[in-house]
Amino acid sequence: MARPIILSNNELQVGLSRHGEVSDVYFPYVGLENHTIGGNTRHRVGVWADGRVSWLSDYGWSCKFSYHHEALIGHIVAVNEQIGIMLEFDDAVDIDFNVLLRTIHVVNLRPETRDVRLFMHQAFIIGDSGSSTDTVQVLPDDNAVIHYRGRRVFAASGQVDGGRFFDQYAVGVFGREGREGTYRDADDGELSNSTAEHGRVDSTIRFKLELAGHGSARVNYWLAAGTSLREVLYIHKNIISQTIHKRFEATAKWWRLWLRPAKKVAQRVKPEYRQAFINSTMLLKAHIDKRGAVIASSDGEALNYQRDAYAYCWPRDSVYVLWPLIRMGYTEEAYNFFDFCRRALSPKGYLSHKYRADGALGSSWHSYVHPDGTVSAPIQEDETASVLFLFCQFYNKTGDDTLLQRFYTSMVVPMANFLASYVDNRTHLPKPSYDLWEEHFMVTTYTTAIVQAALFAAANLADQRRDEVGAVAWRTVAEDIKQSAQKRLYDPHQKAFRKGLCRNKNGTYTPDDTLDMSAVYGAFIYGLYDNQEDLHQAIQTALDRFHFKLETPGLPRYEDDAYYRSAPDAPSNWWFIVSLWLAQYYLECGDENSAQRIISWVSSQAWPTGVLSEQIDPVSGRERSVAPLCWSQAEFISTILDVIKR
């Protein structure tokens, strides 16, 4: 499930698969809607030579990926020795226009002159819709093929070096009526020149090339996105008039300017991690919609294996993504995110499970009716607390008083009041909510840690705001939570932090002693526990229980974690974020050598573009779940920033 190349202008986002195919097209929001959702809608790239066609996903092709332009411009080298062809791609999403740009250098690896034909295929399910009401049409006067449904329109076109447009085309139905798609029309090197179709439709265009021995030609291809035919044709004509090369230059210039703060920091990063650090920073930016939503992952292939993908805004994940950007001096992304959260905030002062990029509620499997018989909102309380905590850190770092003018009354106060009120009077701990792993309704150590930290931070902010009522109320609750947590959430016999407490139907609580790394990390990073000796011992207990080795420093989320596990009796998968949490702990303790070994191992598991997955199978070494996962990229950056800070 990997997307080694992600391209974005924060409105149009495109993901390229491990075969160099367009596999995710999000528009008009990053993360919403995916118009190439599902396994049959990847945009194939094919080469016809010596009487047969070969697609990049066929056997025989090897692909190498990089971002080597110091910009979010992908570079792919695809080689097939059997047919003697190399394709060299440079890919970008234009920073000013909603259009995917691809320049394809087609190289003949053999000494004889050859007739070579490049085929570019387009397949959409526009609007992520189950209905078959798309239309595809050829516009001969405009040298374009358009796909549309309602207010979503796409235009594909391209030119060979000298300005010659594609010479053949085919449009038709795919995945219906026994038809595979128009790409099969390319088997003989010729296309039918059909001009219009509707339903579940696709298209293919051809570029005919005559390549001298060891010669080459360049094909420039683009795919424009808009909300009307007029809009996409405007973009299409601008690419022709300005030339695709000028658009690449403008896009590269924008990214180099945006990267200045990160590149300044990167000068202090070890050379072996420097490119991954820069690439991870760009990947975070690529997943942030211009209206504020931070998308967890745009890898849409998860839908081929699960009920849903990761293209949502989880407030907690967003906080971890934004924090390293804030540390490097970026402000616009955080400001837009807080505006997004302010709009999404419920009247009671909490944030919900997750959101779509347009601010609507995302899908959820959490119930209003809980195992202990209570009825309450299906929230993860740590998400509200995380946003409040980050806002306080952001204000302290920037000192921008306009932040308080805009967000204190509308967001800080309702959030802090909610957290202060959502407490069980008998335990003085937060009431149960779903844990950060989205699985259990309980009182967790992690949630308790971030809630008390957020309330302390809000109280300090209230002091600066001269809000004495809020400062006293929030600080009092935070102190009660911290004292109670030290009594109830640490087990001195196991020398470990409990995962949390499960509430029974009679209102009592039963400890859950599952060893969960989030409990250890939460207590450490958010200052929940004052006894440092016990804290260090709890971490050692966890490492002993998980048979941790610095040679392969992977760690699971918690004991017997079954998510994406390869078999019921297989060990739990390792999560990069958990290993990097441990590296951050080592740095805090002054053990930079151990931290560096973890960073090195994580870096070795990344794609050449720096893309990190969510998990890795400890037996096979294969990545599991989505790639990239923004949280993984963010923890990698944060850990390196901690190294620099030391």
Side-chain angles (χ1 to χ4, degrees):
M1 294 188 193
R3 299 291 183 260
I5 298 287
I6 298 291
L7 309 167
S8 174
N9 64 4
N10 307 119
E11 188 172 7
L12 169 67
Q13 191 200 58
V14 175
L16 303 182
S17 75
R18 63 182 71 214
H19 302 298
E21 304 163 323
V22 172
S23 294
D24 295 307
V25 177
Y26 292 95
F27 175 80
Y29 296 87
V30 172
L32 184 76
E33 304 135 359
N34 193 348
H35 304 282
T36 54
I37 207 72
N40 295 324
T41 49
R42 67 185 192 275
H43 294 195
R44 294 169 170 85
V45 178
V47 176
W48 184 92
D50 305 323
R52 68 186 183 93
V53 69
S54 177
W55 302 93
L56 289 190
S57 55
D58 292 344
Y59 177 79
W61 288 95
S62 64
C63 294
K64 295 181 179 179
F65 304 88
S66 64
Y67 290 114
H68 70 181
H69 296 275
E70 292 190 338
L72 199 71
I73 297 176
H75 185 70
I76 306 172
V77 178
V79 178
N80 189 321
E81 297 287 353
Q82 295 177 2
I83 66 172
I85 293 292
M86 179 176 74
L87 302 180
E88 190 175 12
F89 296 80
D90 284 300
D91 303 304
V93 166
D94 192 291
I95 202 63
D96 296 315
F97 298 108
N98 289 318
V99 57
L100 168 67
L101 309 172
R102 309 196 78 177
T103 70
I104 308 159
H105 188 208
V106 185
V107 181
N108 178 11
L109 300 178
R110 294 181 180 171
E112 67 271 15
T113 298
R114 303 170 71 193
D115 175 9
V116 175
R117 303 166 194 183
L118 179 70
F119 292 95
M120 303 297 290
H121 169 247
Q122 297 76 224
F124 295 98
I125 301 178
I126 296 176
D128 188 7
S129 170
S131 65
S132 297
T133 57
D134 295 356
T135 297
V136 59
Q137 294 173 328
V138 176
L139 304 183
D141 292 344
D142 294 297
N143 294 298
V145 177
I146 63 163
H147 290 249
Y148 72 87
R149 179 176 183 265
R151 291 292 183 182
R152 303 290 180 262
V153 187
F154 299 90
S157 186
Q159 295 173 294
V160 185
D161 282 320
R164 175 168 46 91
F165 287 91
F166 58 91
D167 69 320
Q168 286 188 359
Y169 45 82
V171 303
V173 174
F174 77 96
R176 297 285 190 274
E177 304 167 14
R179 303 186 194 182
E180 294 180 64
T182 57
Y183 74 95
R184 295 307 306 268
D185 197 12
D187 287 350
D188 61 356
E190 303 289 333
L191 297 178
S192 64
N193 288 338
S194 49
T195 58
E197 189 55 274
H198 77 289
R200 183 62 53 83
V201 292
D202 70 339
S203 64
T204 305
I205 57 179
R206 186 187 82 168
F207 301 88
K208 194 172 188 298
L209 311 169
E210 185 168 326
L211 302 182
H214 300 298
S216 66
R218 188 172 295 276
V219 173
N220 299 322
Y221 169 88
W222 56 90
L223 178 67
T227 58
S228 68
L229 178 59
R230 179 178 181 179
E231 184 179 344
V232 296
L233 289 181
Y234 172 79
I235 296 171
H236 167 69
K237 291 172 182 176
N238 267 278
I239 301 305
I240 297 170
S241 63
Q242 295 188 37
T243 76
I244 197 170
H245 305 293
K246 291 288 181 62
R247 296 315 312 157
F248 266 102
E249 288 175 9
T251 299
K253 180 179 180 181
W254 187 93
W255 277 101
R256 287 164 187 161
L257 287 171
W258 185 84
L259 275 172
R260 280 183 177 176
K263 290 177 70 176
K264 183 178 180 181
V265 174
Q267 293 174 5
R268 301 166 64 190
V269 175
K270 283 190 173 184
E272 58 264 39
Y273 309 138
R274 195 170 294 158
Q275 192 60 55
F277 179 87
I278 292 293
N279 291 357
S280 292
T281 303
M282 291 193 296
L283 286 168
L284 297 190
K285 177 64 172 175
H287 281 79
I288 300 175
D289 184 78
K290 70 177 186 179
R291 287 138 294 203
V294 181
I295 301 304
S297 176
S298 57
D299 181 353
E301 197 168 339
L303 275 173
N304 293 322
Y305 307 95
Q306 301 289 337
R307 298 177 187 175
D308 207 346
Y310 279 43
Y312 292 97
C313 178
W314 277 266
R316 173 207 321 101
D317 295 41
S318 303
V319 165
Y320 281 107
V321 167
L322 289 167
W323 177 232
L325 294 179
I326 292 171
R327 292 176 70 182
M328 287 188 283
Y330 292 99
T331 58
E332 180 184 7
E333 294 77 12
Y335 192 100
N336 290 342
F337 171 70
F338 292 130
D339 216 26
F340 178 89
C341 291
R342 183 182 57 80
R343 296 192 303 268
L345 198 64
S346 80
K348 294 184 178 180
Y350 61 77
L351 291 167
S352 294
H353 178 189
K354 59 182 179 180
Y355 297 89
R356 303 195 327 170
D358 61 359
L361 284 178
S363 64
S364 181
W365 51 93
H366 293 161
S367 174
Y368 279 82
V369 182
H370 307 300
D372 61 3
T374 61
V375 176
S376 63
I379 62 170
Q380 297 168 283
E381 190 183 359
D382 70 284
E383 299 207 273
T384 305
S386 296
V387 173
L388 177 58
F389 182 79
L390 181 71
F391 179 84
C392 297
Q393 303 306 308
F394 185 55
Y395 172 75
N396 291 337
K397 186 169 180 62
T398 63
D400 182 2
D401 287 334
T402 61
L403 286 168
L404 295 186
Q405 295 171 17
R406 185 171 181 84
F407 294 107
Y408 186 80
T409 301
S410 61
M411 189 180 77
V412 172
V413 171
M415 280 185 169
N417 283 340
F418 167 74
L419 296 177
S421 66
Y422 206 68
V423 174
D424 189 321
N425 292 329
R426 288 177 291 183
T427 64
H428 298 281
L429 294 175
K431 293 179 181 178
S433 66
Y434 288 94
D435 69 334
L436 84 160
W437 307 129
E438 309 176 287
E439 296 172 335
H440 302 287
F441 185 79
M442 60 189 299
V443 180
T444 64
T445 299
Y446 176 86
T447 297
T448 301
I450 182 60
V451 166
Q452 60 91 34
L455 285 171
F456 275 125
N460 293 336
L461 203 63
D463 287 335
Q464 298 179 62
R465 185 74 173 180
R466 297 182 180 178
D467 176 5
E468 295 181 6
V469 174
V472 171
W474 303 335
R475 187 171 287 113
T476 299
V477 174
E479 289 170 348
D480 285 348
I481 290 174
K482 184 171 183 176
Q483 290 178 15
S484 182
Q486 297 190 32
K487 296 175 183 176
R488 293 174 174 268
L489 297 178
Y490 180 77
D491 183 349
H493 302 292
Q494 291 195 75
K495 297 183 178 180
F497 286 101
R498 297 186 167 103
K499 182 182 182 75
L501 307 173
C502 297
R503 187 167 62 188
N504 305 310
K505 291 186 176 180
N506 63 4
T508 61
Y509 287 87
T510 301
D512 182 337
D513 291 325
T514 302
L515 208 156
D516 189 320
M517 288 302 296
S518 71
V520 182
Y521 176 75
F524 155 65
I525 201 70
Y526 295 116
L528 180 65
Y529 207 70
D530 291 331
N531 189 319
Q532 294 299 299
E533 185 177 340
D534 285 349
L535 177 63
H536 298 321
Q537 183 58 58
I539 289 178
Q540 189 58 51
T541 298
L543 298 184
D544 292 343
R545 192 85 62 88
F546 290 128
H547 307 291
F548 176 78
K549 298 178 181 178
L550 265 176
E551 293 75 23
T552 50
L555 283 167
R557 296 185 296 177
Y558 54 82
E559 291 178 295
D560 198 30
D561 181 6
Y563 186 51
Y564 273 113
R565 189 165 56 184
S566 57
D569 59 347
S572 300
N573 292 336
W574 294 336
W575 285 56
F576 292 119
I577 61 173
V578 178
S579 296
L580 290 165
W581 283 348
L582 179 62
Q584 293 166 26
Y585 165 77
Y586 280 142
L587 287 168
E588 187 69 21
C589 296
D591 185 358
E592 186 170 333
N593 179 60
S594 295
Q596 290 283 7
R597 294 180 70 176
I598 294 174
I599 295 170
S600 178
W601 175 77
V602 170
S603 180
S604 72
Q605 304 302 313
W607 283 77
T609 53
V611 164
L612 286 167
S613 63
E614 180 181 70
Q615 310 167 41
I616 184 172
D617 187 321
V619 178
S620 67
R622 294 178 180 175
E623 61 187 19
R624 302 289 288 167
S625 190
V626 295
L629 179 74
C630 281
W631 195 350
S632 296
Q633 310 294 158
E635 291 295 354
F636 178 74
I637 299 170
S638 288
T639 308
I640 289 179
L641 291 175
D642 286 350
V643 173
I644 294 172
K645 182 181 177 182
R646 283 185 54 78

